[in-house]
Every structure is written in structure tokens, then in C-alpha cells.
Amino acid sequence: MIRVRAAAGDSRRGWLSAGGKIVPVALGRGGIRANKHEGDGGTPKGTFRPRRLWWRADRHPRPRTFLPARAIGPEDAWCEDPDSRHYNQPVRLNQRHTGDRLRRDDHLYDFIIEIDHNTAPRIAGRGSAVFLHLARENFGPTAGCISMTKSAMLRLLARLGPKTRIVIG
């Protein structure tokens, strides 16, 4: 089990604990929210499972993990449009699909752990593209994800499998 909690005094920062190790994380600019909505900047409260690792194979070798893994391609994106039938799912960018591009110039999405937030069933407007990914240098808040250093991410990936529980809040 992995547990994520907000830090005392700053709802946009937190702590991730796994296997006796505790690492700092950045949370959404809206803190941890029980009633997550698209665009609120909140990190969803609840218990989730990791689904898949997405990683930049052009920048890094495939990390050790028990999760299914997929290299991020130039057209990979995530649909954040609540009116789309592809809402909160990966899409290929083209004239019909737009979304949050997964292949970014910065390094925030070099490693993305997709979790099962708002997936079964998917409810329009309840939040999309909630990932665990790499943090900004200043640990600035995310749009609702959980972010951490690269070294913490690699240590976490080595422990994660599809049955791991991620408890947020």
C-alpha cells in the first residue's frame, strides 16, 4: 500500500509513504478533494490502483516495475473534454482529438503512472488525467496530480504492481 497525505500548513504539498520510506510530493493547487471536478486543481481523495506506466523511451531506459508499460509517442495525449466519448482516456492527437499532450518538452511527464481515478464508470466532469509524475524543481503545485523527484519515482516504480493500493487523503 502507498499512502499520500497533505503536509501540515500547506495543502499543495504532501508526503508519500511506501514500504517504510517517506518522500515529499507536490499535490494539486486545490489540495486533496473528496468531491473532485474537472479543472478544480484538486487531487482526488480515495483509494486507487495504478493501471500503467507511460515513459519517455527516447530519454530513459524502461524502468523496473511490475506495471504494464508503454512508451510515450509524439501523438499520445489524454482527453480532458467532458463532452467527448473519449473523456479521461488516452487518445492519439489528430484533427478529431485534442488533449493534454503526454510528450512534453519539460521533463514532468518523463514517467507517468496512470491511476484508476474516474474510470469505472467514467463520469463526465469528475476529473481526468490524474497521474503520478515528476515534480517541478520548486515542487510547485500540479493541476491535480501527485508529483515527486525522479529518484523517488524510480524507487516507487520498482515496488508497484496492478494490485497496489494508493490511498490519498
Side-chain angles (χ1 to χ4, degrees), residues 10-163:
D10 188 350
S11 63
R12 300 171 307 165
R13 297 253 178 124
W15 301 100
L16 181 148
S17 58
K21 304 283 186 197
I22 298 174
V23 298
V25 294
L27 302 172
R29 67 182 179 280
I32 295 175
R33 296 191 174 209
N35 193 17
K36 169 94 181 114
H37 290 336
E38 190 70 40
D40 66 2
T43 299
K45 180 178 183 176
T47 301
F48 307 98
R49 300 231 187 242
R51 297 181 75 170
R52 175 175 23 190
L53 164 69
W54 297 75
W55 97 100
R56 288 290 300 265
D58 60 319
R59 293 180 175 170
H60 307 279
R62 185 185 191 279
R64 244 178 3 125
T65 187
F66 297 104
L67 291 173
R70 177 172 168 183
I72 298 170
E75 282 79 38
D76 286 326
W78 205 267
C79 181
E80 297 177 319
D81 179 0
D83 294 327
S84 170
R85 68 183 179 95
H86 301 289
Y87 178 65
N88 197 29
Q89 293 182 323
V91 293
R92 304 287 281 175
L93 291 175
N94 58 37
Q95 291 178 341
R96 293 183 317 138
H97 295 113
T98 61
D100 183 13
R101 180 178 294 277
L102 299 183
R103 191 171 190 136
R104 296 171 56 133
D105 290 335
D106 62 22
H107 291 271
L108 298 184
Y109 282 8
D110 280 10
F111 301 97
I112 301 170
I113 300 170
E114 173 188 343
I115 65 171
D116 66 354
H117 169 261
N118 193 24
T119 59
R122 281 179 294 126
I123 300 171
R126 297 296 285 177
S128 64
V130 177
F131 305 129
L132 279 69
H133 63 74
L134 299 183
R136 291 178 174 84
E137 282 188 33
N138 65 356
F139 268 78
T142 70
C145 298
I146 298 167
S147 66
M148 64 198 74
T149 64
K150 179 182 172 186
S151 61
M153 173 67 76
L154 293 175
R155 284 192 310 272
L156 182 63
L157 281 169
R159 303 178 56 88
L160 279 183
K163 294 187 179 187

